[in-house]
Structure formats: C-alpha cells, structure tokens
Amino acid sequence: MSDTNTNGLTPTELKTLKYFTLYCQSNGVDSVYRMYYLEDCDVDTPDDEWYSEDTNRNIESYDRIDLVIDKIIENIDLSENFDDCYNRGSLRVNIDCKGRTLSIEGWEVVFGSENYLSEYDLDEIEQAYGEETRKSVEELFNKLQEMGEEATVAFSGGGDDGYIEDQMVINDTDHPLPKIIEDMLYDMLNGNHPGWENNEGAQGSWTFRPDQKIVEFDFNYNTEDEVYLDNLNYLLDF
C-alpha cells in the first residue's frame, strides 16, 4: 500500500516519529527538544543531540528522524511567521514522548532604536568643557553664519568599537573638524552615553546651528529584542 500524506507527513514518517519517542523513553526521558536557528532566511543545521528537561542526559539524534524534522521545518512558511526572515530567529521543536505530540515554538530578534535629543548653548558648553572650547565653537558658529549654512558631524559604534567622523559636513562638502571640538564631542558622547560603542551600538550626529547658537545632539541607541511568535501554532499528533 502506498504512503499517503497525513498533516504533510507520510505514514512512514509518522512511524519514524513514534519509534523516536520509544528510543527517547528507553533513554529515560519523556520529552525532548531541539533548537534550530534562522539566519538570512536559512535555517541552520543543529548539532547532533536532543535535550531534555527531565534529565541532564542528552539524546543522540540519527539520520531518519533528522530528515523528518527537516521536512516539517521546511513546510513552515517563514514569511508568514517572521516579520523579516533576514532577522535572526530560532525555532524550538518539542516532542512529548508519552503524549506523542510535536510542537514548534519560535522567536524572532527584532531590531529597533531609542532616540535621545539634547541641545547645548554656548554657556552650557563653557560650563561643561571650558572657555577655550566655547571660543572654538563660537568661531565655528560665526563662520557658518557667514556661509548661511549648518554643519553636521556623525558618529557610529557597535561590536565594541566606534568612531566620530573627523570631518564635518557643510552643504554636502567635508571640512576639517577642529581637534578641540572633536574632543568635546567625544566627551559629550562618553559622558552622556557610556558604552555607546558596545554590543548593538549606537549612531547619530551633532548639528551646529549658527542662527540659534546651539549644538543639537541626536543620539540613537540600537536595540535588539527577542520576540515570541504568537502566530506560530504548529502542533502535530502522531
């Protein structure tokens, strides 16, 4: 008799799942799970073991059950469950050996940012960074006012490294950034947002606005949250 599809699996594949539950129970566990990780819309092959919360023992997998689980995962439409499959994510395959059920849970790493906007006038700059720094910023304001332009300086950090651009952009053209102002920007960045270059990192810019005589500091801290996929409701009875 030829195999027929049952919930996407053939009777032979369902039998493979049943035999696997017996194999796990013979190793002293009533439930097992295995993690699969998503990267760039591809699911990475996991290691060769299953894990159980019943015991500290790991259960070695084998080719026949691996093929069945791979088929189940391949039949999941990742685009329907993940906001963006290019985000990192994970799938946990749970097998209840006594109840003979297989369920799949999922998580997606969602990226975002937190914005902090602050302003510094000349008096605040002098108080925090000294008279010489104030004079340098005031000279820059005067130069920009004559040009009828504003200046921006960008920064970026992440993965335990970061930098402030050593050029300021005026009307889409790079200009040298005075060293004393660069030092002020590093002090401003490190003093207000320590660790900006670590982990997910941050990015942003300073805008020198001559008409208002202020330096606007736009700081954006990157966030990374693992979100449970409520819409992934895979459950198979076998």
Side-chain angles (χ1 to χ4, degrees):
M1 182 176 66
S2 61
D3 289 341
T4 58
N5 286 333
T6 303
N7 229 9
L9 298 181
T10 66
T12 299
E13 290 166 335
L14 292 171
K15 189 179 294 185
T16 297
L17 285 171
K18 293 177 183 178
Y19 286 152
F20 181 67
T21 63
L22 297 175
Y23 164 69
C24 292
Q25 288 178 294
S26 71
N27 280 276
V29 298
D30 293 329
S31 63
V32 292
Y33 71 91
R34 197 180 200 185
M35 300 299 299
Y36 291 73
Y37 296 96
L38 182 70
E39 188 82 37
D40 294 332
C41 298
D42 290 324
V43 178
D44 288 342
T45 303
D47 55 31
D48 294 330
E49 294 182 323
W50 291 79
Y51 302 90
S52 176
E53 294 171 347
D54 303 331
T55 176
N56 291 327
R57 289 187 59 192
N58 299 335
I59 307 299
E60 188 174 352
S61 194
Y62 51 85
D63 289 344
R64 186 169 293 179
I65 188 64
D66 289 346
L67 291 173
V68 174
I69 303 301
D70 288 346
K71 178 178 178 179
I72 291 173
I73 291 177
E74 286 171 5
N75 286 338
I76 295 175
D77 189 345
L78 296 176
S79 64
E80 285 189 359
N81 295 285
F82 286 79
D83 287 338
D84 184 350
C85 68
Y86 283 98
N87 290 342
R88 295 200 311 275
S90 58
L91 298 172
R92 172 169 161 152
V93 178
N94 306 294
I95 296 180
D96 180 346
C97 301
K98 281 188 172 181
R100 288 188 178 175
T101 63
L102 183 150
S103 62
I104 298 178
E105 301 174 277
W107 293 264
E108 179 179 12
V109 176
V110 177
F111 300 96
S113 65
E114 296 178 1
N115 176 256
Y116 300 89
L117 192 64
S118 54
E119 295 178 350
Y120 295 83
D121 61 25
L122 288 169
D123 289 341
E124 290 170 324
I125 288 171
E126 182 176 357
Q127 183 177 1
Y129 307 107
E131 184 179 353
E132 290 301 315
T133 301
R134 175 191 173 124
K135 288 180 180 179
S136 183
V137 174
E138 197 164 16
E139 289 173 4
L140 176 58
F141 281 148
N142 293 336
K143 176 182 176 182
L144 292 172
Q145 201 154 31
E146 291 175 3
M147 299 171 65
E149 300 289 349
E150 296 180 341
T152 60
V153 180
F155 74 91
S156 180
D160 302 327
D161 191 19
Y163 62 91
I164 294 175
E165 297 287 353
D166 58 4
Q167 300 283 318
M168 54 184 174
V169 178
I170 304 173
N171 193 21
D172 297 326
T173 303
D174 289 342
H175 294 260
L177 178 65
K179 180 66 166 59
I180 191 169
I181 294 181
E182 181 181 4
D183 290 342
M184 177 191 74
L185 299 184
Y186 270 111
D187 288 343
M188 194 179 293
L189 186 56
N190 292 322
N192 288 282
H193 304 283
W196 59 274
E197 74 279 22
N198 296 330
N199 302 321
E200 292 80 24
Q203 65 280 322
S205 64
W206 293 268
T207 303
F208 292 79
R209 303 192 185 279
D211 291 342
Q212 301 167 269
K213 295 290 192 295
I214 63 169
V215 179
E216 184 180 271
F217 182 20
D218 184 10
F219 181 90
N220 294 276
Y221 180 73
N222 298 323
T223 60
E224 184 176 300
D225 297 312
E226 192 172 56
V227 178
Y228 185 76
L229 299 178
D230 292 316
N231 55 333
L232 179 58
N233 298 309
Y234 188 94
L235 179 65
L236 172 68
D237 293 304
F238 58 89

